[in-house]
Amino acid sequence: MSKKTFYITTPIYYPSGKLHIGHSYTTVAADAMARYKRLQGYDVMFLTGTDEHGQKIQRIAEETGVTPQEYVDNIVAGIEKLWSLMNISNDKFIRTTDEEHVAAVQKIFKTLYDKGDIYKSEYEGWYCTPCESFWTETQLKEGKCPDCERPVELTKEESYFFRLSKYQERLIKLLEENPEFIQPTSRRNEMLNNFLRPGLEDLCVSRTSFNWGIPVTFDDKHVVYVWIDALSNYITALGYLSDNDELYKKFWPADVHLVGKEIVRFHTIIWPAMLMALDLPLPKQIFGHGWLVLDGGKMSKSKGNVVDPVVLIEKYGLDAIRYFLLREVPFGADGVFSNEALISRINSDLANDLGNLVSRTVAMIKKYFDGVLPIDREGGEFDQELRSLVVNTKTKVEEHMDKLQFSSALAEIWKAVSRTNKYIDETMPWILAKEEEKRPRLAQVLYNLAESIRIISILIQPFMTETPIKIWDQLGIPENQTAWESSGEWGIYSQTKPVTSGQIIFPRIDMDAEMKKLEAITPTTEKAEDDKKQHDTRKNKKDEKANSENTEGIAIIGIEDFAKIELRVAKVLECEKVEKSDKLLKLKLKCGEEEKQVVSGIAEYYSPDSLIGKKLIFLANLKPAKLRGVESQGMILAATHGQSLVLLTVDQDIPDGARVS
Ligand code: MSP
């Protein structure tokens, strides 16, 4: 019987400079998914590549004094090297300069033209070269590009257009009838409300003002412009319209296209419309993930505001970075990349929880049994609970992975890690080791530890590529005990060699010393703020549109009103009752570098002690006021319902001072 197939793609990257950690985010996520499916026995096609045409590349090449082809060859070599450094397991790497791609795009363009879905007309608009985007007069922001705020040029030229408007109704129906087509759901609603229902305009798909692009075969003044070229990669990489289209027949339609949220529109409107026009099946799902931002500002290579994945990998190791990227932020939401968050994850989850578990277990097997454990699969007190939690982890991981919820899948694995660590404290092997007659129990306990670790090491394989091998090596686990399916079974572990305590898998990092070093290589503040402004502007426009549809009778505010509110995560350092008041508590909060005092009417709901250490949501730019003579320098947020009041806090750990938006 032939294996089930799974086809996953990343976007193809612009080789207009070095890639930053934000780009690695999409690729690492796709890689985890591809590895997971392979472990489950699927025949996987994982595609990534580069999007190499366009005026911007042509200009950079001219400025650098090389041909566009020389320029992209050099950058693309660096990108391929990065993916290999990150152990990205892509099955194919497509370049839009590949001959096969060029020929297929030319055929696609001609087919659409022959069908009447592409026609010639004239385009007039404002063009932003760095963003390669046309804007209408009303879209400009103070006469400049609304995305990057750089000057734009008025451009009028003969162009070919794709009849996108013709597919509007079919696209609306597609999205309405297939809730899974765009994930997360919020992005589907955005597409329907902000783009599809207001109406689609035909799309300019050729240019005459530059020539670094795929020539239109029947009109040599024109090159194919951006999206028809770029989006087609998902089928041309499989040999569509080539001499050998076996892969196309085997893998198309794609199971999922992973894309950043800003290109969801192209993938869920233009791409399906193109496929409809070509009478081809549509991809099953487009997943629009959030951005990884730097302290609140979007990373952007064109502004030089980058975090270099190569540097980070050299410093902390590949698996720590891969783990952080997938664990820190729920896939779909925006997340903050901060040095502090990275180091605290490494120290707590990796060094403390997983690393210690492995090294303690190995050390005890060595010390008490000379490295070779007598196999005793019988159970004792505490064992059953440990076994069932660990064995059931596989199903939970699979449930989350099937929804691309990497962070939740990892959280499940870490529950097993914590439970196993707790088992050491419960069983206290070092006490058992003191009495000869307890040796059989000691063997049982150590067996259970080793078996839990075997299961954990299998489950982390989609996310980490080096650690499982180190664990197998240290515990003497042979390959035939590492099949994915066997992570749902207990009692497989049996050593083929004595355990060996190798290097510490995840060394602890001195946070203070490291933060100082890292600051030097991670530009944040000013540029990040600058980038954030842009990000906000873009977001504001969309939100305004969405807001105008609110009909609940609540005063509608613009995002600019919300932007005036400075909400931060703050940690409670101290808390006490305000003298002569039954209602008020005085709290000392730590908010990043600052400490603030807040008076809050929550004494009837919370005891002072219960709040210490909690991370709350703090309105930081409220005018100070005095309550019962005590100064309050802001406000903490709470939800109320009838007689109940609960304080707002954060869903997962994040450094205090983090911005809430
Ligand atoms: N060439 C187009 C895609 C064409 S696909 C047919 C493109 N390239 S890109 O290099 O600008 O971006 C590639 C991907 O990287 C996008 O999905 C984008 O969202 C993602 N990211 C770029 N910066 C990012 C972060 N800071 N965080 C998360 N993803 C980021 O768009």
Side-chain angles (χ1 to χ4, degrees), residues 10-14 19-23 25-26 51 227 230-231 233-234 258-263 267 289-293 298-299 301:
T10 71
I12 45 172
Y13 296 88
Y14 288 129
L19 297 192
H20 55 61
I21 195 80
H23 300 109
Y25 182 59
T26 324
D51 186 1
W227 289 104
L231 289 161
N233 92 87
Y234 300 127
L258 287 195
V259 300
K261 61 180 182 181
E262 84 286 13
I263 53 173
H267 284 80
H289 65 73
W291 282 332
L292 206 58
V293 294
K298 189 176 180 243
M299 292 178 203
K301 60 196 166 196

Side-chain angles (χ1 to χ4, degrees), residues 606-655:
Y606 289 91
S607 70
D609 281 350
S610 69
L611 292 178
I612 298 197
K614 271 207 176 6
K615 288 195 172 156
L616 305 175
I617 307 301
F618 171 51
L619 176 56
N621 61 339
L622 190 66
K623 208 155 79 190
K626 281 200 172 164
L627 290 140
R628 292 266 168 148
V630 185
E631 179 168 281
S632 183
Q633 301 164 322
M635 187 172 125
I636 50 174
L637 301 194
T640 55
H641 182 73
Q643 299 298 309
S644 317
L645 177 148
V646 289
L647 284 169
L648 298 198
T649 179
V650 281
D651 174 36
Q652 289 181 33
D653 201 19
I654 189 161

Side-chain angles (χ1 to χ4, degrees), residues 442-463:
L442 180 61
Q444 267 176 13
V445 165
L446 295 188
Y447 182 84
N448 287 337
L449 288 175
E451 180 60 346
S452 279
I453 295 173
R454 182 191 67 85
I455 290 176
I456 290 161
S457 70
I458 295 174
L459 295 176
I460 58 175
Q461 287 178 96
F463 314 95

Side-chain angles (χ1 to χ4, degrees), residues 463-512:
F463 314 95
M464 301 190 181
T465 59
E466 295 166 343
T467 308
I469 297 163
K470 288 183 188 164
I471 295 179
W472 298 336
D473 193 47
Q474 294 199 10
L475 274 167
I477 300 175
E479 209 186 318
N480 63 8
Q481 295 173 22
T482 61
W484 182 259
E485 278 313 307
S486 77
S487 64
E489 290 168 52
W490 190 268
I492 306 279
Y493 176 64
S494 71
Q495 288 169 261
T496 46
K497 58 179 184 123
V499 301
T500 42
S501 25
Q503 273 184 337
I504 293 182
I505 304 182
F506 294 106
R508 263 193 89 75
I509 296 162
D510 176 339
M511 172 76 93
D512 290 343

